[in-house]
Amino acid sequence: RRSRPRIGSARPSKRKPDSRSIPGGRCRSGRFRRIAAGPRKATAAGSSCSTSSAAAFADANGVRLKSALREIVAQTGRDLVATPDQSLILADVDDAQRARIDEILAEHGVTNAADTFARRAMACPALPTCGLALAEAERFMPALLDELHAAWTAAGLDDAAIPTVRMTGCPNSCARPTLAEIGIIGGSLDRYYLYLGGNAASTRLNRPYREKVAGAELAGVLAEVFREYAARRQPGEGFGD
């Protein structure tokens, strides 16, 4: 029978190197490969790590967004700022540069035509990418937003007061749904927990409103709330209020 090692005794570790990976894979040395724009660089002795060219990430569907951003930075020298709401900001742009930026975006097929619901919405990847996901989120959200926008318009509401919507496929809440005016959290396959009462600035927690709502029923449940809000809201009152 094996005896337990004494405290402080040394024993060689049998743990394998961390096998988790990020895009680009893992180096043989056990360290992650760093993804960055630019050519491959020399690496330290004994290491197979290197940087990968951004050209490995192709633009898609006729929209060359990544190429456009690279061209904008090269021509203007402006900084790109990523926000917690998954937006990109081109900072410190003057009027002359803005005109050139609009031209570059048009040349690369990039349009800024998202409606207000889409601008104020966010979802985590969920199924099939995330191993923790219990329900759909990112793939389901576009169709859900179309239904919500139709219900919002049918209630007689305009785009000025459109609420923030955040959706996740599990309670880990990577898209921070508990801070949104409408928060949707997946609890199991095609069943969601609905939260209401956050604010647009994401400085207030929302509260549970409905449990285990089927995905196809979410728009109908929220349509009732939209009508109530349209009938009883006060001047300057946001949806989450």
Side-chain angles (χ1 to χ4, degrees):
R1 191 172 64 180
R2 293 183 179 179
S3 60
R4 297 179 61 184
R6 292 176 297 174
I7 296 176
S9 63
R11 173 177 290 181
S13 173
K14 294 184 179 181
R15 293 184 62 184
K16 296 181 179 179
D18 194 344
S19 60
R20 294 173 297 175
S21 63
I22 58 175
R26 184 169 58 83
C27 304
R28 289 192 297 273
S29 62
R31 287 175 289 179
F32 295 131
R33 180 180 298 162
R34 184 164 59 90
I35 303 301
R40 293 181 177 270
K41 298 181 180 179
T43 60
S47 170
S48 62
C49 296
S50 64
T51 60
S52 297
S53 171
F57 300 93
D59 300 326
N61 301 323
V63 177
R64 296 178 293 153
L65 175 59
K66 295 174 183 176
S67 297
L69 293 174
R70 183 168 56 183
E71 188 68 22
I72 288 170
V73 173
Q75 291 194 25
T76 66
R78 298 301 89 193
D79 292 328
L80 287 173
V81 181
T83 75
D85 290 327
Q86 297 182 343
S87 297
L88 276 177
I89 296 174
L90 283 164
D92 302 322
V93 174
D94 57 37
D95 291 339
Q97 289 177 327
R98 178 168 183 172
R100 180 54 188 149
I101 288 171
D102 289 339
E103 291 176 1
I104 294 172
L105 292 174
E107 291 168 1
H108 289 76
V110 180
T111 60
N112 199 9
D115 66 21
T116 310
F117 256 99
R119 292 177 190 272
R120 298 183 181 176
M122 184 163 58
C124 71
L127 297 174
T129 305
C130 179
L132 300 177
L134 303 171
E136 292 281 357
E138 188 177 57
R139 295 193 299 184
F140 174 51
M141 177 166 264
L144 175 62
L145 290 179
D146 288 342
E147 295 181 1
L148 293 182
H149 203 167
W152 183 266
T153 303
L157 298 164
D158 57 30
D159 286 0
I162 283 178
T164 54
V165 183
R166 293 182 180 176
M167 185 176 195
T168 60
C170 80
N172 286 292
S173 302
C174 293
R176 305 184 301 283
T178 52
L179 295 174
E181 293 176 275
I182 299 174
I184 304 169
I185 300 176
S188 61
L189 190 61
D190 196 37
R191 291 295 180 272
Y192 297 90
Y193 291 80
L194 182 59
Y195 291 73
L196 302 176
N199 61 7
S202 298
T203 58
R204 181 176 66 211
L205 290 171
N206 50 30
R207 301 176 182 177
Y209 179 70
R210 291 282 182 90
E211 296 183 354
K212 299 180 181 179
V213 181
E217 298 174 359
L218 285 169
V221 171
L222 287 167
E224 298 175 3
V225 185
F226 293 165
R227 290 191 291 268
E228 185 75 6
Y229 171 62
R232 301 179 58 181
R233 65 173 172 164
Q234 301 298 316
E237 183 180 28
F239 178 78
D241 299 330

